[in-house]
Amino acid sequence: MTYCVALKLNAGLVFASDSRTNAGVDQIACFKKMRSFVNADDRVIVILSSGNLSITQNAINLLEQHGRHAERRNIWNAETMFDVAQLLGESLREVRKHDSVFLAQSNVDSGANFIVGGQIKGEDMRLFMVYAEGNFIEAGEETPFFQIGETKYGKPIIDRVITPETPLSDAVKCVLVSFDSTMRSNLSVGLPIDLACYTASSLQLGFQQHITQDDPYFSQISRRWSDGLKGVFASLPNPEWLTDIDINSDSSE
Amino acid sequence: MTYCVALKLNAGLVFASDSRTNAGVDQIACFKKMRSFVNADDRVIVILSSGNLSITQNAINLLEQHGRHAERRNIWNAETMFDVAQLLGESLREVRKHDSVFLAQSNVDSGANFIVGGQIKGEDMRLFMVYAEGNFIEAGEETPFFQIGETKYGKPIIDRVITPETPLSDAVKCVLVSFDSTMRSNLSVGLPIDLACYTASSLQLGFQQHITQDDPYFSQISRRWSDGLKGVFASLPNPEWLTDIDINSDSSE
């Protein structure tokens, strides 16, 4: 399983992915389910992927390979992030057309999803989600984030905290809490977490962090969040419609 | 959509169901996705249902109808909760055998799930989950709860709080917080919530509560939980690997 999330805030973009399955190593960036295409001062593009690993890898590799041919529209000369999302969707369609019949013969699902976001000089930051069919949608003011993979356990905290005004530091914390909730409820999502942050209009990829089991900050967040939740929970009042008898029966246990 | 949860604690059982879809009114109890069969001092049985409404209603109605024939094994003379779970599974299979072919012709899913728990004189409280195929599993020490329907958004708080030792009052609060998280993230789960509580060995159904939009306690829990979470979140430290520049860029937004 996979969990990936990306936020589009006024302050910038935050991307995070788990890495419990092996997605192999690529030559452009050091992330497993996260791949970045950076040409500083011109464009920063980050892609998160979930689904069939051969499909997602091949689609991104194809996208990268097409990028070596300057005569065609590619990820390095696309004028907008809209074009980049379209190129990614086309690569995905090409790979699925090539492989899905064979996968289907072994009942293997060739489904795959991407989140792709970033900024190209001349336009604002943008964030897209590409569906398995290659079509895609863009994040707006009302929905400033996308999730793919095992999305539900980690959604409530994002729903509560994230607005376009959220600062990057809070957004990073929120994403880590979201991963913590997901990993507690679904063992197939696990550390390390790959995290990348992009500050609006910088046209540079900001910090990247590979958060492993030993990361003291993540351990601290995880422990303090858990203790804090328990504290808030303990402070909630008892329902008045729980009679004295009910409550007494509790405390005698 | 539906969300139902039931907890099996040392102190007793807690059952809760939402009621956004209309499950009709029955003649035994006043709950929509919750139906109780009570013969005080002999047995208390509560059933929660999710899935195709005609299937779940018919299965429970069949179970109830079979209960009028004392010559056969039925819900009123079953000696154990294991037998009750089996009777419910058999009713479900009977209804699906009767209807599912016709539903399939219109591409309607005849899937349905139940949680059934309670106590019959002579044995301890027990809690079961009945799958769409009519087979079932029992809750144990390690998994003291079952959820059906839209289960994921509300699972993290249960994972964090509930152990067999949790008192009933805390369990009720936890269930309400779990519903609050679910309703925030999935609009198809909604108030009112039906809640029922059973104190171990009482052989009486304890309090039952129908929590509507106007319920002041639920509003209070919802608001205080939300505020509390935000408070805990705000108290989490910033990651040290967020450089000064990153943080400054935040605060300038």
Side-chain angles (χ1 to χ4, degrees):
Chain A
M1 201 64 194
T2 292
Y3 177 42
C4 298
V5 59
L7 313 175
K8 179 172 172 269
L9 312 164
N10 298 340
L13 299 165
V14 177
F15 300 90
S17 58
D18 86 311
S19 47
R20 178 125 300 180
T21 59
N22 293 317
V25 179
D26 63 67
Q27 297 180 325
I28 291 191
C30 62
F31 297 114
K32 285 181 181 172
K33 295 175 190 174
M34 179 185 290
R35 188 136 161 188
S36 53
F37 295 82
V38 180
N39 182 8
D41 300 325
D42 176 63
R43 66 191 59 215
V44 172
I45 299 163
V46 179
I47 302 175
L48 307 177
S49 51
S50 79
N52 183 296
L53 186 58
S54 77
I55 299 288
T56 57
Q57 279 199 342
N58 286 13
I60 295 179
N61 282 330
L62 206 59
L63 187 73
E64 187 272 325
Q65 201 159 302
H66 289 335
R68 300 180 197 175
H69 300 276
E71 73 281 5
R72 62 185 288 173
R73 194 182 59 148
N74 67 47
I75 194 164
W76 299 114
N77 64 24
E79 287 180 12
T80 64
M81 283 300 299
F82 175 84
D83 288 345
V84 169
Q86 201 160 45
L87 287 170
L88 180 57
E90 284 163 10
S91 292
L92 175 59
R93 285 173 179 168
E94 194 174 333
V95 171
R96 291 194 71 187
K97 189 175 168 193
H98 190 262
D99 285 350
S100 60
V101 174
F102 298 93
L103 292 173
Q105 286 170 6
S106 304
N107 287 320
V108 175
D109 184 11
S110 65
N113 291 95
F114 296 104
I115 298 173
V116 55
Q119 187 166 16
I120 292 175
K121 197 173 179 175
E123 68 166 7
D124 288 339
M125 298 178 301
R126 298 172 80 174
L127 184 67
F128 296 86
M129 178 158 73
V130 180
Y131 293 109
E133 293 73 20
N135 57 330
F136 54 88
I137 57 172
E138 182 169 7
E141 279 283 312
E142 298 78 21
T143 309
F145 65 92
F146 286 130
Q147 301 170 290
I148 53 177
E150 178 58 275
T151 61
K152 293 187 177 183
Y153 300 119
K155 187 165 179 282
I157 184 64
I158 298 179
D159 282 333
R160 286 181 197 273
V161 168
I162 297 297
T163 70
E165 290 73 36
T166 307
L168 286 180
S169 53
D170 278 359
V172 166
K173 279 190 279 187
C174 179
V175 161
L176 294 182
V177 170
S178 175
F179 268 86
D180 184 53
S181 295
T182 306
M183 292 188 300
R184 274 172 187 268
S185 288
N186 185 334
L187 291 182
S188 75
V189 176
L191 294 170
I193 299 165
D194 292 315
L195 192 70
C197 215
Y198 173 78
T199 303
S201 303
S202 65
L203 293 173
Q204 312 277 349
L205 191 53
F207 74 89
Q208 300 178 15
Q209 189 77 9
H210 187 69
I211 298 169
T212 63
Q213 198 94 40
D214 307 322
D215 189 276
Y217 177 68
F218 185 71
S219 303
Q220 191 187 16
I221 289 279
S222 176
R223 192 182 58 250
R224 284 176 64 162
W225 181 249
S226 179
D227 293 346
L229 284 198
K230 285 175 185 162
V232 174
F233 186 81
S235 77
L236 295 177
N238 278 323
E240 54 200 28
W241 27 262
L242 259 182
T243 66
D244 291 342
I245 293 165
D246 291 318
I247 290 169
N248 289 341
S249 80
D250 288 351
S251 45
S252 69
E253 287 294 328
Chain B
M1 202 61 195
T2 292
Y3 177 42
C4 298
V5 59
L7 313 175
K8 178 172 172 269
L9 312 164
N10 298 339
L13 299 165
V14 176
F15 300 88
S17 59
D18 86 310
S19 47
R20 179 125 296 181
T21 58
N22 294 317
V25 179
D26 64 65
Q27 297 180 325
I28 292 191
C30 61
F31 297 114
K32 285 178 180 174
K33 296 174 189 173
M34 179 186 290
R35 186 135 161 190
S36 54
F37 295 83
V38 179
N39 182 10
D41 301 326
D42 176 62
R43 66 191 58 214
V44 171
I45 298 163
V46 178
I47 301 175
L48 307 177
S49 52
S50 80
N52 183 294
L53 188 58
S54 77
I55 299 288
T56 58
Q57 279 199 342
N58 286 12
I60 294 178
N61 282 331
L62 206 59
L63 188 74
E64 186 273 324
Q65 201 159 302
H66 289 335
R68 300 179 197 177
H69 300 277
E71 73 283 5
R72 62 183 291 172
R73 192 181 60 147
N74 67 46
I75 195 165
W76 299 114
N77 64 24
E79 288 180 13
T80 64
M81 284 301 297
F82 174 84
D83 288 345
V84 169
Q86 200 159 46
L87 287 169
L88 180 57
E90 283 163 12
S91 292
L92 175 59
R93 285 175 180 167
E94 196 173 332
V95 172
R96 292 194 72 187
K97 189 176 169 192
H98 190 262
D99 285 350
S100 62
V101 174
F102 299 92
L103 292 173
Q105 286 169 7
S106 302
N107 287 321
V108 175
D109 185 12
S110 64
N113 290 96
F114 296 105
I115 297 173
V116 54
Q119 187 166 18
I120 292 176
K121 197 175 179 176
E123 67 167 8
D124 288 338
M125 299 177 302
R126 298 172 80 174
L127 184 66
F128 296 87
M129 178 159 73
V130 180
Y131 293 108
E133 293 74 20
N135 56 330
F136 53 89
I137 57 172
E138 182 170 8
E141 279 282 314
E142 297 77 20
T143 309
F145 66 93
F146 286 131
Q147 300 169 290
I148 53 179
E150 179 58 274
T151 61
K152 292 188 178 182
Y153 300 118
K155 187 165 180 278
I157 184 63
I158 299 179
D159 281 333
R160 286 182 197 273
V161 169
I162 297 297
T163 70
E165 290 73 35
T166 307
L168 285 179
S169 54
D170 279 358
V172 166
K173 279 189 279 187
C174 178
V175 161
L176 293 181
V177 170
S178 175
F179 268 85
D180 184 53
S181 295
T182 306
M183 292 188 300
R184 273 173 187 266
S185 288
N186 186 334
L187 292 181
S188 74
V189 175
L191 294 169
I193 299 165
D194 292 314
L195 192 70
C197 215
Y198 173 77
T199 302
S201 303
S202 65
L203 294 172
Q204 313 277 347
L205 191 52
F207 76 89
Q208 301 178 15
Q209 190 76 10
H210 187 69
I211 298 169
T212 64
Q213 197 95 39
D214 308 321
D215 188 275
Y217 177 67
F218 184 71
S219 305
Q220 192 187 14
I221 289 278
S222 176
R223 193 181 59 250
R224 284 176 64 160
W225 180 249
S226 180
D227 293 346
L229 284 198
K230 285 175 185 160
V232 174
F233 187 80
S235 77
L236 296 178
N238 278 324
E240 54 199 29
W241 27 262
L242 260 183
T243 66
D244 290 342
I245 293 166
D246 291 319
I247 290 171
N248 288 342
S249 79
D250 289 353
S251 44
S252 68
E253 288 294 327

